[in-house]
Amino acid sequence: MSELAAALRGHIAELLPTARVEAGRLWRGGTDWYRLTARLDSIQRHAARALGTGVLTAHVHVRLLALDCQWLLEHYAPDPAGADPTR
């Protein structure tokens, strides 16, 4: 579980800067900016947390990291053709 969590954290760390740039393009203080910034802050805090000691705790944590990574990939992954992020 710890190897999988480390891999997911690595992917999140690669995608977060792109998402932060996109958030910076929005009107600061608007609802879209606030929602996006809050989501990115939540993802960053979640990725920084340790796995925990129990098996269920570790499983849930890895699952949430995977969901965060999936959301970032869907919205901010670079286009394979080299274009801007998909958002």
Side-chain angles (χ1 to χ4, degrees), residues 32-51:
D32 290 337
W33 173 84
Y34 178 79
R35 279 188 214 134
L36 179 55
T37 301
R39 177 77 190 255
L40 297 176
D41 290 346
S42 174
I43 290 171
Q44 187 171 6
R45 280 191 308 273
H46 189 247
R49 276 190 250 152
L51 267 183

Side-chain angles (χ1 to χ4, degrees), residues 78-84:
D79 185 17
D84 286 337

Side-chain angles (χ1 to χ4, degrees), residues 18-64:
T18 303
R20 295 270 184 207
V21 168
E22 290 295 315
R25 291 183 180 149
L26 297 173
W27 176 63
R28 194 174 193 94
T31 56
D32 290 337
W33 173 84
Y34 178 79
R35 279 188 214 134
L36 179 55
T37 301
R39 177 77 190 255
L40 297 176
D41 290 346
S42 174
I43 290 171
Q44 187 171 6
R45 280 191 308 273
H46 189 247
R49 276 190 250 152
L51 267 183
T53 55
V55 175
L56 181 59
T57 303
H59 174 76
V60 169
H61 190 86
V62 167
R63 178 68 180 135
L64 292 174

